[in-house]
Amino acid sequence: NANITRAQFGAMIARALNLQTTEETYYKDTVGKWYEDEIQALYEAGITESPGKFNPSEPLTRQHAAAFMYRVMEYTGYEVNLLNSKLDYRDSTEISNEFKEAIKVLKELEIMEGDLNNKFLPKEYLTRAQMAKILKRTLTTVEFM
């Protein structure tokens, strides 16, 4: 139930997709760290788009995790056909606009869901257990597992 950091989550995604880096490190706050190559590979693949810093030691929010998983789907070429997609969580107004599409997609595909009170909790931190669940569901959906 521990929170997962942005670096840990990013490294797991990069390794799951077997991403490799070919360029100089973009994020200066990852230079020399154990996850430097993985985060750079995510950047080169377009899976992370953060301008400036990556903030690797920060805990990852649920809405940021949704964005990562959505971009993984885009990277793999998975075509999303949203038929019934709507954002009807009780706390939908708390979701930043830039993450709404990703959250709709993940909800419809049953990759990432809200709690028993129909709240998404977008600014709550993602736990390691939740990470394992959504990463496995995403990789299964895009047929990487």
Side-chain angles (χ1 to χ4, degrees), residues 10 14 33 41 86 90 100 133:
K33 308 290 187 193
K86 57 185 170 183
R90 288 180 46 218
K100 287 184 177 182
K133 184 177 176 180

Side-chain angles (χ1 to χ4, degrees), residues 2-83:
N3 294 335
I4 191 158
T5 66
R6 293 173 53 84
Q8 292 167 334
F9 193 68
M12 289 180 200
I13 294 169
R15 291 173 185 170
L17 297 175
N18 196 29
L19 298 177
Q20 304 297 315
T21 183
T22 60
E23 300 173 11
E24 185 177 328
T25 300
Y26 174 76
Y27 296 114
K28 300 307 176 205
D29 59 350
T30 66
V31 173
K33 308 290 187 193
W34 64 266
Y35 45 77
E36 178 181 1
D37 288 343
E38 286 90 347
I39 303 308
Q40 178 60 26
L42 287 182
Y43 178 76
E44 291 175 29
I47 295 172
T48 183
E49 302 172 341
S50 302
K53 293 183 175 185
F54 186 74
N55 300 312
S57 60
E58 293 293 316
L60 186 71
T61 65
R62 290 175 47 80
Q63 64 184 359
H64 279 101
F68 274 122
M69 293 297 89
Y70 182 79
R71 290 188 204 122
V72 164
M73 295 171 74
E74 288 180 323
Y75 172 79
T76 64
Y78 183 84
E79 286 195 39
V80 179
N81 296 315
L82 298 176
L83 301 174

